Short mmCIF file of all heavy atoms in Angstrom, two decimals:
data_model
loop_
_atom_site.label_atom_id
_atom_site.label_comp_id
_atom_site.label_asym_id
_atom_site.label_seq_id
_atom_site.Cartn_x
_atom_site.Cartn_y
_atom_site.Cartn_z
N MET V 10 -48.26 12.98 -6.96
CA MET V 10 -48.79 14.33 -6.75
C MET V 10 -49.00 15.00 -8.09
O MET V 10 -48.09 15.00 -8.92
CB MET V 10 -47.81 15.13 -5.89
CG MET V 10 -48.43 16.36 -5.25
SD MET V 10 -47.24 17.23 -4.22
CE MET V 10 -46.98 16.04 -2.91
N PRO V 11 -50.14 15.55 -8.33
CA PRO V 11 -50.38 16.16 -9.64
C PRO V 11 -49.62 17.46 -9.82
O PRO V 11 -49.33 18.16 -8.86
CB PRO V 11 -51.89 16.41 -9.65
CG PRO V 11 -52.28 16.51 -8.21
CD PRO V 11 -51.32 15.61 -7.48
N MET V 12 -49.29 17.72 -11.06
CA MET V 12 -48.57 18.95 -11.41
C MET V 12 -49.55 19.93 -12.02
O MET V 12 -50.34 19.58 -12.87
CB MET V 12 -47.46 18.63 -12.41
CG MET V 12 -46.65 19.82 -12.80
SD MET V 12 -45.10 19.92 -11.90
CE MET V 12 -44.10 18.80 -12.84
N TYR V 13 -49.47 21.15 -11.54
CA TYR V 13 -50.36 22.18 -12.06
C TYR V 13 -49.54 23.23 -12.78
O TYR V 13 -48.43 23.55 -12.37
CB TYR V 13 -51.16 22.83 -10.94
CG TYR V 13 -52.12 21.88 -10.28
CD1 TYR V 13 -51.72 21.09 -9.21
CD2 TYR V 13 -53.42 21.74 -10.76
CE1 TYR V 13 -52.60 20.20 -8.61
CE2 TYR V 13 -54.30 20.86 -10.17
CZ TYR V 13 -53.89 20.10 -9.10
OH TYR V 13 -54.75 19.23 -8.52
N GLN V 14 -50.10 23.76 -13.81
CA GLN V 14 -49.41 24.79 -14.58
C GLN V 14 -50.11 26.12 -14.37
O GLN V 14 -51.33 26.22 -14.46
CB GLN V 14 -49.40 24.43 -16.06
CG GLN V 14 -48.52 25.35 -16.87
CD GLN V 14 -48.21 24.76 -18.24
OE1 GLN V 14 -48.92 23.91 -18.72
NE2 GLN V 14 -47.16 25.22 -18.86
N PHE V 15 -49.30 27.12 -14.08
CA PHE V 15 -49.83 28.45 -13.84
C PHE V 15 -49.19 29.43 -14.81
O PHE V 15 -48.13 29.17 -15.37
CB PHE V 15 -49.51 28.90 -12.40
CG PHE V 15 -50.15 28.05 -11.35
CD1 PHE V 15 -49.54 26.90 -10.90
CD2 PHE V 15 -51.37 28.41 -10.80
CE1 PHE V 15 -50.13 26.11 -9.92
CE2 PHE V 15 -51.97 27.63 -9.82
CZ PHE V 15 -51.35 26.48 -9.38
N SER V 16 -49.83 30.56 -14.96
CA SER V 16 -49.21 31.65 -15.70
C SER V 16 -49.44 32.93 -14.92
O SER V 16 -50.48 33.11 -14.29
CB SER V 16 -49.80 31.76 -17.10
OG SER V 16 -51.13 32.22 -17.06
N CYS V 17 -48.43 33.78 -14.95
CA CYS V 17 -48.49 35.03 -14.21
C CYS V 17 -49.13 36.10 -15.09
O CYS V 17 -48.78 36.26 -16.25
CB CYS V 17 -47.09 35.45 -13.79
SG CYS V 17 -47.05 37.02 -12.92
N ARG V 18 -50.06 36.81 -14.54
CA ARG V 18 -50.72 37.86 -15.31
C ARG V 18 -49.88 39.13 -15.35
O ARG V 18 -50.11 40.00 -16.18
CB ARG V 18 -52.08 38.19 -14.67
CG ARG V 18 -53.07 37.06 -14.77
CD ARG V 18 -54.42 37.49 -14.24
NE ARG V 18 -55.12 36.40 -13.58
CZ ARG V 18 -56.30 36.53 -12.98
NH1 ARG V 18 -56.90 37.69 -12.95
NH2 ARG V 18 -56.87 35.51 -12.41
N ASP V 19 -48.97 39.25 -14.44
CA ASP V 19 -48.16 40.47 -14.41
C ASP V 19 -46.99 40.42 -15.37
O ASP V 19 -46.74 41.34 -16.12
CB ASP V 19 -47.67 40.73 -12.99
CG ASP V 19 -48.79 41.26 -12.10
OD1 ASP V 19 -49.89 41.50 -12.63
OD2 ASP V 19 -48.57 41.39 -10.89
N CYS V 20 -46.26 39.31 -15.32
CA CYS V 20 -45.06 39.23 -16.17
C CYS V 20 -45.21 38.20 -17.28
O CYS V 20 -44.36 38.08 -18.14
CB CYS V 20 -43.82 38.92 -15.33
SG CYS V 20 -43.79 37.25 -14.66
N GLY V 21 -46.30 37.45 -17.24
CA GLY V 21 -46.54 36.49 -18.30
C GLY V 21 -45.74 35.21 -18.17
O GLY V 21 -45.78 34.35 -19.06
N GLN V 22 -45.03 35.08 -17.07
CA GLN V 22 -44.21 33.90 -16.86
C GLN V 22 -45.09 32.69 -16.57
O GLN V 22 -46.04 32.76 -15.79
CB GLN V 22 -43.26 34.15 -15.68
CG GLN V 22 -42.39 32.97 -15.32
CD GLN V 22 -41.26 32.79 -16.32
OE1 GLN V 22 -40.80 33.73 -16.93
NE2 GLN V 22 -40.82 31.56 -16.48
N GLY V 23 -44.77 31.60 -17.24
CA GLY V 23 -45.47 30.36 -16.94
C GLY V 23 -44.63 29.51 -16.03
O GLY V 23 -43.41 29.48 -16.14
N PHE V 24 -45.27 28.82 -15.14
CA PHE V 24 -44.51 27.95 -14.24
C PHE V 24 -45.38 26.79 -13.82
O PHE V 24 -46.61 26.83 -13.91
CB PHE V 24 -43.99 28.72 -13.02
CG PHE V 24 -45.07 29.36 -12.17
CD1 PHE V 24 -45.51 28.73 -11.02
CD2 PHE V 24 -45.62 30.58 -12.54
CE1 PHE V 24 -46.50 29.32 -10.24
CE2 PHE V 24 -46.62 31.17 -11.76
CZ PHE V 24 -47.05 30.53 -10.60
N GLU V 25 -44.71 25.77 -13.36
CA GLU V 25 -45.42 24.57 -12.94
C GLU V 25 -45.12 24.30 -11.48
O GLU V 25 -44.04 24.59 -10.98
CB GLU V 25 -44.99 23.37 -13.77
CG GLU V 25 -45.36 23.50 -15.23
CD GLU V 25 -44.77 22.38 -16.05
OE1 GLU V 25 -43.90 21.66 -15.54
OE2 GLU V 25 -45.18 22.23 -17.20
N LYS V 26 -46.10 23.75 -10.81
CA LYS V 26 -45.91 23.43 -9.41
C LYS V 26 -46.58 22.11 -9.11
O LYS V 26 -47.68 21.83 -9.59
CB LYS V 26 -46.50 24.52 -8.51
CG LYS V 26 -45.54 25.64 -8.21
CD LYS V 26 -46.00 26.42 -7.01
CE LYS V 26 -44.93 27.42 -6.57
NZ LYS V 26 -45.31 28.12 -5.34
N LYS V 27 -45.89 21.34 -8.32
CA LYS V 27 -46.52 20.14 -7.80
C LYS V 27 -47.28 20.51 -6.54
O LYS V 27 -46.72 21.06 -5.60
CB LYS V 27 -45.48 19.08 -7.46
CG LYS V 27 -44.98 18.33 -8.67
CD LYS V 27 -44.03 17.23 -8.24
CE LYS V 27 -43.50 16.48 -9.45
NZ LYS V 27 -42.53 15.46 -9.05
N LEU V 28 -48.54 20.23 -6.55
CA LEU V 28 -49.37 20.64 -5.43
C LEU V 28 -50.26 19.49 -5.00
O LEU V 28 -50.67 18.66 -5.81
CB LEU V 28 -50.26 21.82 -5.82
CG LEU V 28 -49.56 23.11 -6.20
CD1 LEU V 28 -50.58 24.10 -6.74
CD2 LEU V 28 -48.85 23.72 -5.01
N ARG V 29 -50.56 19.52 -3.74
CA ARG V 29 -51.60 18.61 -3.27
C ARG V 29 -52.94 19.14 -3.75
O ARG V 29 -53.08 20.30 -4.09
CB ARG V 29 -51.60 18.54 -1.74
CG ARG V 29 -50.32 18.00 -1.18
CD ARG V 29 -50.37 18.08 0.33
NE ARG V 29 -49.05 17.89 0.91
CZ ARG V 29 -48.53 16.71 1.20
NH1 ARG V 29 -49.24 15.63 0.98
NH2 ARG V 29 -47.32 16.60 1.70
N MET V 30 -53.90 18.25 -3.75
CA MET V 30 -55.23 18.65 -4.21
C MET V 30 -55.77 19.81 -3.38
O MET V 30 -56.45 20.70 -3.87
CB MET V 30 -56.18 17.46 -4.11
CG MET V 30 -55.80 16.32 -5.04
SD MET V 30 -56.07 16.70 -6.77
CE MET V 30 -57.77 16.17 -6.94
N SER V 31 -55.45 19.81 -2.09
CA SER V 31 -55.97 20.84 -1.19
C SER V 31 -55.29 22.18 -1.44
O SER V 31 -55.84 23.22 -1.12
CB SER V 31 -55.77 20.41 0.26
OG SER V 31 -54.41 20.14 0.50
N GLN V 32 -54.09 22.14 -2.03
CA GLN V 32 -53.36 23.38 -2.27
C GLN V 32 -53.63 23.95 -3.65
O GLN V 32 -53.29 25.09 -3.93
CB GLN V 32 -51.85 23.13 -2.14
CG GLN V 32 -51.40 22.68 -0.77
CD GLN V 32 -49.92 22.36 -0.75
OE1 GLN V 32 -49.46 21.52 -1.50
NE2 GLN V 32 -49.17 23.05 0.09
N ALA V 33 -54.22 23.14 -4.49
CA ALA V 33 -54.31 23.50 -5.90
C ALA V 33 -55.19 24.72 -6.12
O ALA V 33 -54.99 25.47 -7.07
CB ALA V 33 -54.84 22.33 -6.71
N SER V 34 -56.15 24.92 -5.25
CA SER V 34 -57.08 26.03 -5.45
C SER V 34 -56.53 27.33 -4.88
O SER V 34 -57.06 28.39 -5.15
CB SER V 34 -58.43 25.71 -4.81
OG SER V 34 -58.27 25.44 -3.44
N SER V 35 -55.48 27.23 -4.09
CA SER V 35 -54.93 28.43 -3.49
C SER V 35 -54.09 29.19 -4.50
O SER V 35 -53.57 28.63 -5.46
CB SER V 35 -54.08 28.08 -2.27
OG SER V 35 -52.97 27.31 -2.66
N GLN V 36 -53.91 30.46 -4.27
CA GLN V 36 -53.16 31.31 -5.17
C GLN V 36 -51.67 31.02 -5.03
O GLN V 36 -51.16 30.90 -3.92
CB GLN V 36 -53.46 32.77 -4.85
CG GLN V 36 -53.20 33.69 -6.03
CD GLN V 36 -54.29 33.58 -7.09
OE1 GLN V 36 -54.90 32.56 -7.27
NE2 GLN V 36 -54.52 34.66 -7.79
N GLN V 37 -51.02 30.90 -6.15
CA GLN V 37 -49.60 30.61 -6.13
C GLN V 37 -48.79 31.84 -6.49
O GLN V 37 -49.21 32.65 -7.31
CB GLN V 37 -49.28 29.48 -7.11
CG GLN V 37 -50.01 28.19 -6.82
CD GLN V 37 -49.73 27.67 -5.42
OE1 GLN V 37 -48.59 27.67 -4.96
NE2 GLN V 37 -50.76 27.24 -4.72
N GLU V 38 -47.65 31.94 -5.88
CA GLU V 38 -46.80 33.10 -6.11
C GLU V 38 -45.93 32.86 -7.34
O GLU V 38 -45.36 31.79 -7.52
CB GLU V 38 -45.93 33.34 -4.89
CG GLU V 38 -45.24 34.70 -4.88
CD GLU V 38 -44.52 34.93 -3.56
OE1 GLU V 38 -45.18 35.28 -2.56
OE2 GLU V 38 -43.30 34.74 -3.52
N CYS V 39 -45.84 33.87 -8.16
CA CYS V 39 -45.01 33.77 -9.35
C CYS V 39 -43.54 33.70 -8.94
O CYS V 39 -43.06 34.55 -8.19
CB CYS V 39 -45.24 34.99 -10.24
SG CYS V 39 -44.12 35.07 -11.64
N PRO V 40 -42.81 32.70 -9.40
CA PRO V 40 -41.41 32.58 -9.03
C PRO V 40 -40.53 33.60 -9.73
O PRO V 40 -39.38 33.83 -9.35
CB PRO V 40 -41.04 31.16 -9.48
CG PRO V 40 -42.00 30.86 -10.58
CD PRO V 40 -43.27 31.61 -10.27
N SER V 41 -41.07 34.24 -10.73
CA SER V 41 -40.28 35.19 -11.50
C SER V 41 -40.35 36.61 -10.91
O SER V 41 -39.33 37.25 -10.69
CB SER V 41 -40.76 35.19 -12.94
OG SER V 41 -40.02 36.11 -13.71
N CYS V 42 -41.56 37.07 -10.64
CA CYS V 42 -41.71 38.45 -10.16
C CYS V 42 -42.32 38.52 -8.78
O CYS V 42 -42.42 39.59 -8.20
CB CYS V 42 -42.54 39.26 -11.15
SG CYS V 42 -44.29 38.81 -11.18
N GLY V 43 -42.75 37.39 -8.25
CA GLY V 43 -43.29 37.37 -6.90
C GLY V 43 -44.74 37.81 -6.82
O GLY V 43 -45.31 37.90 -5.73
N SER V 44 -45.33 38.04 -7.95
CA SER V 44 -46.73 38.47 -7.95
C SER V 44 -47.64 37.30 -7.59
O SER V 44 -47.34 36.14 -7.87
CB SER V 44 -47.10 39.01 -9.32
OG SER V 44 -48.50 39.20 -9.42
N GLU V 45 -48.74 37.63 -7.00
CA GLU V 45 -49.72 36.59 -6.70
C GLU V 45 -50.86 36.60 -7.70
O GLU V 45 -51.85 35.89 -7.55
CB GLU V 45 -50.27 36.79 -5.28
CG GLU V 45 -49.23 36.46 -4.22
CD GLU V 45 -49.83 36.53 -2.81
OE1 GLU V 45 -50.97 36.97 -2.68
OE2 GLU V 45 -49.12 36.15 -1.87
N HIS V 46 -50.70 37.41 -8.72
CA HIS V 46 -51.72 37.45 -9.77
C HIS V 46 -51.44 36.35 -10.79
O HIS V 46 -51.05 36.61 -11.92
CB HIS V 46 -51.73 38.83 -10.45
CG HIS V 46 -52.07 39.95 -9.51
ND1 HIS V 46 -51.57 41.21 -9.66
CD2 HIS V 46 -52.85 39.97 -8.41
CE1 HIS V 46 -52.04 41.99 -8.68
NE2 HIS V 46 -52.80 41.26 -7.91
N THR V 47 -51.62 35.15 -10.34
CA THR V 47 -51.38 34.02 -11.23
C THR V 47 -52.68 33.28 -11.45
O THR V 47 -53.60 33.34 -10.63
CB THR V 47 -50.36 33.07 -10.62
OG1 THR V 47 -50.81 32.65 -9.34
CG2 THR V 47 -49.00 33.73 -10.48
N GLN V 48 -52.71 32.59 -12.53
CA GLN V 48 -53.90 31.81 -12.81
C GLN V 48 -53.50 30.41 -13.26
O GLN V 48 -52.46 30.22 -13.89
CB GLN V 48 -54.74 32.48 -13.90
CG GLN V 48 -53.99 32.70 -15.20
CD GLN V 48 -54.84 33.47 -16.20
OE1 GLN V 48 -56.00 33.77 -15.93
NE2 GLN V 48 -54.27 33.77 -17.36
N LYS V 49 -54.32 29.49 -12.92
CA LYS V 49 -54.06 28.11 -13.30
C LYS V 49 -54.37 27.94 -14.78
O LYS V 49 -55.40 28.41 -15.27
CB LYS V 49 -54.93 27.17 -12.47
CG LYS V 49 -54.31 25.82 -12.27
CD LYS V 49 -55.28 24.88 -11.62
CE LYS V 49 -55.80 25.38 -10.27
NZ LYS V 49 -56.77 24.44 -9.68
N VAL V 50 -53.47 27.31 -15.48
CA VAL V 50 -53.64 27.17 -16.91
C VAL V 50 -54.42 25.90 -17.22
O VAL V 50 -55.46 25.91 -17.86
CB VAL V 50 -52.29 27.15 -17.63
CG1 VAL V 50 -52.49 26.99 -19.13
CG2 VAL V 50 -51.54 28.44 -17.36
N PHE V 51 -53.91 24.82 -16.74
CA PHE V 51 -54.59 23.56 -16.95
C PHE V 51 -55.08 23.03 -15.61
O PHE V 51 -54.62 23.46 -14.55
CB PHE V 51 -53.67 22.54 -17.59
CG PHE V 51 -53.20 22.96 -18.95
CD1 PHE V 51 -51.84 23.04 -19.21
CD2 PHE V 51 -54.09 23.29 -19.94
CE1 PHE V 51 -51.40 23.43 -20.46
CE2 PHE V 51 -53.66 23.68 -21.19
CZ PHE V 51 -52.31 23.76 -21.45
N GLY V 52 -56.01 22.12 -15.68
CA GLY V 52 -56.52 21.55 -14.45
C GLY V 52 -55.44 20.81 -13.71
O GLY V 52 -55.08 21.14 -12.59
N ALA V 53 -54.92 19.82 -14.35
CA ALA V 53 -53.86 19.05 -13.74
C ALA V 53 -53.13 18.29 -14.83
O ALA V 53 -53.73 17.83 -15.78
CB ALA V 53 -54.40 18.07 -12.71
N ILE V 54 -51.83 18.23 -14.68
CA ILE V 54 -51.04 17.46 -15.62
C ILE V 54 -50.56 16.22 -14.88
O ILE V 54 -49.84 16.34 -13.89
CB ILE V 54 -49.83 18.26 -16.12
CG1 ILE V 54 -50.30 19.62 -16.69
CG2 ILE V 54 -49.09 17.48 -17.21
CD1 ILE V 54 -49.16 20.56 -16.98
N ALA V 55 -51.00 15.10 -15.33
CA ALA V 55 -50.66 13.88 -14.63
C ALA V 55 -49.22 13.48 -14.95
O ALA V 55 -48.94 12.97 -16.03
CB ALA V 55 -51.62 12.76 -15.00
N ILE V 56 -48.33 13.78 -14.06
CA ILE V 56 -46.96 13.33 -14.22
C ILE V 56 -46.64 12.43 -13.04
O ILE V 56 -46.28 12.89 -11.97
CB ILE V 56 -45.98 14.51 -14.29
CG1 ILE V 56 -46.33 15.40 -15.48
CG2 ILE V 56 -44.55 13.99 -14.41
CD1 ILE V 56 -45.44 16.60 -15.59
N SER V 57 -46.83 11.17 -13.23
CA SER V 57 -46.64 10.25 -12.12
C SER V 57 -45.57 9.22 -12.44
O SER V 57 -45.40 8.26 -11.74
CB SER V 57 -47.96 9.54 -11.80
OG SER V 57 -48.46 8.91 -12.95
N GLY V 58 -44.85 9.45 -13.53
CA GLY V 58 -43.80 8.51 -13.89
C GLY V 58 -44.30 7.31 -14.67
O GLY V 58 -43.53 6.49 -15.10
N VAL V 59 -45.59 7.26 -14.83
CA VAL V 59 -46.15 6.14 -15.57
C VAL V 59 -46.24 6.52 -17.03
O VAL V 59 -46.85 7.54 -17.37
CB VAL V 59 -47.55 5.77 -15.04
CG1 VAL V 59 -48.13 4.61 -15.83
CG2 VAL V 59 -47.47 5.43 -13.56
N SER V 60 -45.62 5.76 -17.87
CA SER V 60 -45.67 6.05 -19.29
C SER V 60 -47.05 5.76 -19.83
O SER V 60 -47.72 4.82 -19.40
CB SER V 60 -44.64 5.20 -20.03
OG SER V 60 -44.95 3.84 -19.89
N ARG V 61 -47.45 6.60 -20.74
CA ARG V 61 -48.78 6.44 -21.30
C ARG V 61 -48.80 5.25 -22.27
O ARG V 61 -48.33 5.35 -23.38
CB ARG V 61 -49.19 7.71 -22.03
CG ARG V 61 -50.63 7.68 -22.53
CD ARG V 61 -50.99 8.97 -23.19
NE ARG V 61 -51.06 10.07 -22.23
CZ ARG V 61 -51.36 11.33 -22.59
NH1 ARG V 61 -51.60 11.62 -23.82
NH2 ARG V 61 -51.40 12.27 -21.68
N SER V 62 -49.28 4.18 -21.81
CA SER V 62 -49.35 2.99 -22.64
C SER V 62 -50.80 2.72 -22.99
O SER V 62 -51.70 3.04 -22.23
CB SER V 62 -48.75 1.79 -21.92
OG SER V 62 -49.47 1.52 -20.74
N SER V 63 -50.97 2.13 -24.13
CA SER V 63 -52.32 1.80 -24.54
C SER V 63 -52.86 0.67 -23.67
O SER V 63 -52.44 -0.46 -23.77
CB SER V 63 -52.35 1.39 -26.01
OG SER V 63 -51.52 0.27 -26.20
N SER V 64 -53.77 1.06 -22.83
CA SER V 64 -54.33 0.04 -21.95
C SER V 64 -55.30 -0.83 -22.74
O SER V 64 -55.91 -0.38 -23.69
CB SER V 64 -55.06 0.72 -20.79
OG SER V 64 -56.11 1.52 -21.29
N PRO V 65 -55.41 -2.05 -22.34
CA PRO V 65 -56.37 -2.93 -23.04
C PRO V 65 -57.78 -2.42 -22.87
O PRO V 65 -58.27 -2.30 -21.75
CB PRO V 65 -56.16 -4.30 -22.38
CG PRO V 65 -55.50 -3.99 -21.07
CD PRO V 65 -54.69 -2.75 -21.30
N SER V 66 -58.38 -2.07 -23.98
CA SER V 66 -59.72 -1.48 -23.91
C SER V 66 -60.80 -2.54 -23.85
O SER V 66 -61.92 -2.27 -23.45
CB SER V 66 -59.95 -0.57 -25.12
OG SER V 66 -59.76 -1.30 -26.31
N LEU V 67 -60.45 -3.73 -24.31
CA LEU V 67 -61.45 -4.79 -24.30
C LEU V 67 -61.52 -5.43 -22.93
O LEU V 67 -60.51 -5.79 -22.36
CB LEU V 67 -61.09 -5.86 -25.34
CG LEU V 67 -61.14 -5.39 -26.81
CD1 LEU V 67 -60.65 -6.50 -27.72
CD2 LEU V 67 -62.55 -4.98 -27.19
N PRO V 68 -62.71 -5.54 -22.42
CA PRO V 68 -62.83 -6.25 -21.14
C PRO V 68 -62.64 -7.74 -21.32
O PRO V 68 -62.82 -8.29 -22.41
CB PRO V 68 -64.28 -5.94 -20.72
CG PRO V 68 -64.99 -5.70 -22.01
CD PRO V 68 -63.97 -5.06 -22.93
N ALA V 69 -62.24 -8.36 -20.26
CA ALA V 69 -62.03 -9.80 -20.33
C ALA V 69 -63.37 -10.50 -20.52
O ALA V 69 -64.26 -10.40 -19.68
CB ALA V 69 -61.37 -10.29 -19.05
N ARG V 70 -63.48 -11.14 -21.63
CA ARG V 70 -64.75 -11.81 -21.92
C ARG V 70 -64.75 -13.22 -21.32
O ARG V 70 -63.72 -13.89 -21.31
CB ARG V 70 -64.96 -11.95 -23.42
CG ARG V 70 -65.10 -10.61 -24.12
CD ARG V 70 -65.38 -10.84 -25.59
NE ARG V 70 -65.45 -9.57 -26.32
CZ ARG V 70 -65.65 -9.48 -27.62
NH1 ARG V 70 -65.80 -10.59 -28.33
NH2 ARG V 70 -65.70 -8.32 -28.21
N PRO V 71 -65.90 -13.65 -20.90
CA PRO V 71 -65.98 -15.06 -20.48
C PRO V 71 -65.93 -15.96 -21.70
O PRO V 71 -66.32 -15.58 -22.80
CB PRO V 71 -67.37 -15.15 -19.80
CG PRO V 71 -68.15 -14.03 -20.42
CD PRO V 71 -67.15 -12.92 -20.67
N VAL V 72 -65.37 -17.10 -21.51
CA VAL V 72 -65.26 -18.04 -22.62
C VAL V 72 -66.65 -18.55 -22.98
O VAL V 72 -67.23 -19.35 -22.29
CB VAL V 72 -64.33 -19.22 -22.25
CG1 VAL V 72 -64.23 -20.19 -23.42
CG2 VAL V 72 -62.96 -18.69 -21.84
N ASN V 73 -67.16 -17.98 -24.07
CA ASN V 73 -68.53 -18.33 -24.45
C ASN V 73 -68.55 -18.44 -25.98
O ASN V 73 -68.92 -17.52 -26.68
CB ASN V 73 -69.50 -17.27 -23.95
CG ASN V 73 -70.94 -17.69 -24.20
OD1 ASN V 73 -71.21 -18.84 -24.55
ND2 ASN V 73 -71.86 -16.77 -24.01
N SER V 74 -68.09 -19.55 -26.45
CA SER V 74 -67.98 -19.73 -27.89
C SER V 74 -69.33 -20.04 -28.51
O SER V 74 -70.07 -20.88 -28.00
CB SER V 74 -67.01 -20.87 -28.19
OG SER V 74 -67.00 -21.13 -29.58
N PRO V 75 -69.68 -19.33 -29.59
CA PRO V 75 -70.96 -19.65 -30.25
C PRO V 75 -70.88 -20.95 -31.06
O PRO V 75 -71.90 -21.39 -31.56
CB PRO V 75 -71.17 -18.45 -31.16
CG PRO V 75 -69.80 -17.97 -31.44
CD PRO V 75 -68.99 -18.22 -30.20
N PHE V 76 -69.71 -21.49 -31.17
CA PHE V 76 -69.55 -22.69 -32.00
C PHE V 76 -69.59 -23.98 -31.18
O PHE V 76 -69.23 -25.02 -31.66
CB PHE V 76 -68.24 -22.62 -32.78
CG PHE V 76 -68.15 -21.38 -33.61
CD1 PHE V 76 -67.25 -20.39 -33.29
CD2 PHE V 76 -68.99 -21.20 -34.72
CE1 PHE V 76 -67.16 -19.24 -34.05
CE2 PHE V 76 -68.91 -20.05 -35.48
CZ PHE V 76 -67.99 -19.06 -35.16
N SER V 77 -70.01 -23.91 -29.97
CA SER V 77 -70.00 -25.12 -29.16
C SER V 77 -71.23 -25.98 -29.44
O SER V 77 -72.30 -25.44 -29.67
CB SER V 77 -69.96 -24.76 -27.67
OG SER V 77 -71.08 -24.00 -27.32
ZN1 ZN B 15 -44.76 37.13 -12.56
#
């Protein structure tokens, strides 16, 4: 589930919430002051437990040696 970061316009409190994609566009309540004047800061923060590893960028090439 993606994590979204919000900030409250009333008290300036930043908070994060795990939301479903369908919930992400809805207004979230500030956990600090209860205001609904919050705004999403980032689109989505991918926190899925997968460590960011350098994926192999090279596609698997067919064995096609020019020296044959
Ligand atoms: Zn607030």
Side-chain angles (χ1 to χ4, degrees):
M10 198 178 294
M12 182 99 81
Y13 294 88
Q14 189 164 21
F15 297 86
S16 70
C17 178
R18 293 185 215 177
D19 285 355
C20 70
Q22 178 75 29
F24 60 98
E25 295 173 347
K26 272 198 171 184
K27 281 184 181 177
L28 297 173
R29 298 175 195 273
M30 296 289 272
S31 56
Q32 298 176 301
S34 58
S35 64
Q36 203 75 330
Q37 301 303 316
E38 194 174 281
C39 173
S41 180
C42 71
S44 169
E45 290 185 352
H46 298 149
T47 56
Q48 58 184 357
K49 208 188 302 179
V50 179
F51 298 124
I54 307 170
I56 300 178
S57 55
V59 180
S60 63
R61 186 178 292 180
S62 61
S63 59
S64 61
S66 56
L67 294 175
R70 295 184 183 178
V72 180
N73 187 11
S74 174
F76 304 111
S77 60

